Structure formats: C-alpha cells, structure tokens
Amino acid sequence: MTESLYRGRTTRDWQAADAAHFLHPFTDFKALAARGARIVTRGEGIYLWDSEGQRIFDAMSGLWCVNVGYRQQPLIDAATRQMQELPFYNAFFQTSTPPAIELAELLAELAPPQFQHVFFAGSGSESNDTIVRMVRRYWALMGQPQRQVIISRWNGYHGSTMAGASLGGMPGMHEQGGLPIPGIVHIHQPHWWEHGRRLGLSREQFGLQAAQWLEDKILEVGPENVAAFIGEPVQGAGGVIVPPESYWPEIQRICDRYGILLVSDEVITGFGRTGQWFGCERFGTRPDLITFAKGVTSGYVPLGGVMVGQRVAQVLIEKGGEFTHGYTYSGHPVACAVGVANLRLIRELKLVERVRDETGPYMAELYRQLQEHPLVGEVQSCGLMGALTLVRDKGTNEPFAPEIDIAMVCRGHCFGNGLIMRAVGDRMIVAPPLVVTRAQLDEMAALIQRCLDLTLADATRNGWL
Ligand SMILES: *Cc1c(COP(=O)(O)O)cnc(C)c1O
C-alpha cells in the first residue's frame, strides 16, 4: 500500500526533492539539505515507519498531538463522512455547521464548569492571537481600554505567529522578528532546577518566589494597565518544566487580587496529557480563558481554539457589537467532525483516567529508575510528559560544557535506535501517545536507557567527563 501511495520513489529521491523545494519549520535549511530529511511514511498505534522501513517508537506523539495514536478508524471515518457531506462552509455570515456546533457543545461539557463557549481557530498560534485580541476587547468593553498589557514567561511557548512568538519567551524567536510586539512583558519561569536550586530554595519555597515575580511585574507595570497573565500549566517546548505545587495556586491568588484575567495555554496539557481533561484541573487554577489545539483532533487535521469562561463571554455577548476577528477556518466542519470523534474516543477508552491512575504513575516510576543513570541529574514527569536533565557530574550536578551539546548527541542515538525523544537545552523530553501501554512504556524506558548508555560511552571516549 505504501509503495502505491508514494509511487515507489526512493529515499534519496524524496530527500533531493525535499531539499530542493520544502523549507521546513524551525530548521537550519542549509544543514538539513546537507544531511537529508528522514522521510516518515506510515504510522500505526504508537509507531511510525520511515522510507527505509525502520520502525520508530514515537515518544513525542508527533508533536505533542497524536494522543490516540496513528490510524484510529473512528477519526478516519469521521473525516471521510464529513468530506463527502460538506467539506467546508464558514461561520461568518449568520451560518453554522453541525460538526462545529457539536464540538462546541462537547467542549463545554468536558471543560471546567465556567466554560460554556468556544471560539475556533486553525492552530495553537492562531488561538493565542485570538487571546490577545479578545482580552483587549474585553477590557475595552469593561470601560478600561488602557488594560493592554499581557504578562507571560521567559521560556514559555505560545506559538510562532507575531503575537504567539511575542507571548512566548524564546529569545531566539524574538531576535528574528523584532519582537515582542508592544504590550507584552515577561517574567522568569518556575524552573526550580534552573533558578530555585541556585537560590538555595526548596521546590515549594521557590514556587512561591516564582509567583511573586508576577506580582512584582504587575506593580511595576501598574495593575490598572494589566489585562491578563498567560502560562502553560507545564511548559512543554521549553523542556517539560513541571512547576512546584505551590506555584499555580499563588498565581491564581495574585490574578484574583488585581482582577487580572488568567489564561491557561493548554495546547499540550489539554485533553488528558496530565491525567486530567485540562492541566488547570491538575494544578488547581480557575482560568478565565483556555487555549487548545494539537490534541483536540489528535493532530489528524489542524484545529485550535479558545474556551471562553463566563466572566469574559458574558461581557462579549451582552454588551453587543461586532468582535472584528476570525479565521476562514474557524469551525472548519471536517476538523470539528474529527475533533468530536477524537474526544468521544478518548472518553470511551477512558484515556484520561488511564493516564491519571495507571500509565502516568507507571512512567514516573520508570523515570525514578532512570535517575540512577550516571548522566542523569534531575527527572521530572507529569502524567505522560517527562524530562531528564543530563549532567556531567552527578555528584555536583555540574552541566556539560555548552559547546558539547550533550542532548543533541543523545538525540542522535535515539534517531539511530528507533526512538523519537526530543532535546531541549540539556533536557531530554518525551510525551508518548495516551494510548501507550505499560509494556510499551517498558520498551520506551529500555530504549532511553540504551541511548543514555551510548551517550555516556561517547562522553567517556571523547574525554567530556
Ligand atoms: C504548539 C504550541 C502552540 C502553537 O501551536 P501551533 O499549532 O504550532 O500554532 C501554542 N502553545 C503551546 C503551549 C504549544 O505547545
């Protein structure tokens, strides 16, 4: 089947055409053209196959999204049926379509009770652009149009559009875009290993300190000018940074104190990743807005959106007037039909409960064992997301010299051994599909162990230790 679908071109043909015409996201084009892309041709369950026939354990769920695994028939059927019935219609001109209505209804049922409304977008980045527009619209309608400033965090990730990258705290992205756009300011992240350890604070003391940085920033900007605070419950692209338990309740208290909207970017943590439907439930916050994308369709088709809590929705609806914002694909019927099928499947398979009670705790146990490895400093996990920090000296937790880029060495071994694990700074991170079984988690841990051993052998041989 693969042969006929791809008309029998060889890996080298694909790589040559890829290098000739396809500019990849977040890629050094020159370096990729020199090495050639890996051509992924097929997926089933938690595994992928490449054009050379190698099987790969996809411990990143595609890009944090293929939560129900590859080749799930209910999603395929939903897309096929909707394509036949009505592949597209918009929601601009007093029109709506059944799949968009059904998905909005289902999301309202699954989200915390303050959420009864949803605004659809095509991706996580677009959803965060919508956040910027919507919170400013809200405050204008509330008669406080000067409330423009949105506070976010360094090393947060909120997408790659102008607003998404501005909300994000990735200096390399800001540099290339003349960003952030006006009205977006950043505070430090709740990353104990990076900041708290150096300050000599316990994790929980540090959580309170990191939340205090929000209050300091609010007072610096002037509370009357602050519209919202946005954060990921667990930072994903930043390296699976699991905050101390004390952090989010304190953030909530500070937002409440100054009447600031709280936005939970749940593009990764939504729909079961943390063992709850939404990460805000895991960490005990009551956000006013939630952004989602990725896992809402398990990545089968692009879709994103904003869950709008009653505090904001009531004002937007009751004060009237047009909200001059939206996308051609807001409420795309095929995407929404797949979203409905995906969320029903997650519910039917009880994946959220399984992550909470079974696979999440089991992965935490496997990670505690990996902590014994001579290269591993800290391990963290939350539901089915995990991180290992690589260190040069386990006694002192001293990192490797930055020019060695030890995590990229490790990632190279993962590539060669049929495991997709991602490198961020000196952290190795995973987020396997929510359908992963205990036996498959054992397989993942064994592959990680082997790749760490190979990395250690390199470090020993090359005198990096
Ligand atoms: C991936 C991601 C985004 C951006 O989503 P895109 O669909 O790539 O635009 C935004 N926020 C978070 C937390 C993400 O992980």
Side-chain angles (χ1 to χ4, degrees), residues 8 43 48 50-51 57 82 118 151 178 210 304 311 330 349 379 439 442 458:
L48 294 165
D50 69 16
S51 55
F57 188 119
Q82 191 58 45
V118 58
I151 302 176
R311 174 178 170 195
S330 289
L349 299 176
V379 301
D442 286 335
D458 286 342

Side-chain angles (χ1 to χ4, degrees), residues 133-145:
R133 298 285 310 272
M134 192 178 277
V135 301
R136 288 177 178 170
R137 167 81 175 151
Y138 166 81
W139 284 115
L141 288 173
M142 291 291 287
Q144 299 182 54

Side-chain angles (χ1 to χ4, degrees), residues 257-313:
R257 175 159 185 203
Y258 296 98
I260 289 162
L261 295 170
L262 176 59
V263 186
S264 195
D265 183 341
E266 305 249 5
V267 170
I268 289 176
T269 51
F271 314 111
R273 177 62 56 198
T274 69
Q276 299 286 334
W277 276 98
F278 293 90
C280 58
E281 298 168 293
R282 163 66 184 76
F283 290 98
T285 57
R286 286 169 283 100
D288 300 295
L289 299 142
I290 287 177
T291 41
F292 65 86
K294 295 189 173 115
V296 69
T297 57
S298 281
Y300 279 44
V301 285
L303 178 67
V306 174
M307 297 294 309
V308 185
Q310 287 298 72
R311 174 178 170 195
V312 174

Side-chain angles (χ1 to χ4, degrees), residues 27-28 80 106 146 180 219 358 421 426 438 455:
T27 293
D28 176 337
T80 309
L106 183 53
Q146 83 291 347
L219 295 173
E358 193 192 336
M421 179 160 63
D426 50 10
R438 284 169 76 106
T455 307

Side-chain angles (χ1 to χ4, degrees), residues 64 123-126 128 157-160 232 237 265 267-268 293-294:
W64 317 90
S123 68
S125 302
E126 285 180 10
N128 284 323
Y157 187 78
H158 299 293
S160 192
E232 305 154 81
D265 183 341
V267 170
I268 289 176
K294 295 189 173 115

Side-chain angles (χ1 to χ4, degrees), residues 137-347:
R137 167 81 175 151
Y138 166 81
W139 284 115
L141 288 173
M142 291 291 287
Q144 299 182 54
Q146 83 291 347
R147 282 217 194 223
Q148 294 270 317
V149 177
I150 302 174
I151 302 176
S152 64
R153 294 154 335 152
W154 293 115
N155 200 38
Y157 187 78
H158 299 293
S160 192
T161 51
M162 295 293 276
S166 295
L167 291 169
M170 302 295 181
M173 292 175 74
H174 290 180
E175 259 166 43
Q176 292 183 4
L179 302 176
I181 56 173
I184 294 175
V185 297
H186 298 79
I187 60 172
H188 284 299
Q189 56 181 333
H191 189 350
W192 179 80
W193 184 261
E194 191 68 24
H195 305 292
R197 197 169 51 107
R198 306 219 160 106
L199 294 170
L201 300 174
S202 73
R203 268 186 71 82
E204 299 314 314
Q205 286 170 335
F206 172 67
L208 297 176
Q209 169 64 64
Q212 185 58 42
W213 290 330
L214 172 60
E215 188 159 29
D216 296 347
K217 184 59 83 176
I218 291 169
L219 295 173
E220 180 192 320
V221 172
E224 69 285 2
N225 298 318
V226 180
F229 174 72
I230 184 171
E232 305 154 81
V234 175
Q235 291 153 258
V240 181
I241 315 295
V242 185
E245 295 295 329
S246 56
Y247 180 72
W248 279 112
E250 186 64 7
I251 291 282
Q252 178 75 63
R253 194 188 64 75
I254 293 166
C255 287
D256 289 348
R257 175 159 185 203
Y258 296 98
I260 289 162
L261 295 170
L262 176 59
V263 186
S264 195
D265 183 341
E266 305 249 5
V267 170
I268 289 176
T269 51
F271 314 111
R273 177 62 56 198
T274 69
Q276 299 286 334
W277 276 98
F278 293 90
C280 58
E281 298 168 293
R282 163 66 184 76
F283 290 98
T285 57
R286 286 169 283 100
D288 300 295
L289 299 142
I290 287 177
T291 41
F292 65 86
K294 295 189 173 115
V296 69
T297 57
S298 281
Y300 279 44
V301 285
L303 178 67
V306 174
M307 297 294 309
V308 185
Q310 287 298 72
R311 174 178 170 195
V312 174
Q314 266 169 3
V315 171
L316 295 181
I317 296 165
E318 280 163 24
K319 300 246 176 186
E322 181 183 336
F323 181 39
T324 57
H325 172 73
Y327 308 104
T328 300
Y329 298 139
S330 289
H332 191 289
V334 176
C336 290
V338 172
V340 169
N342 175 61
L343 297 180
R344 284 189 182 148
L345 184 64
I346 290 174
R347 195 155 62 174

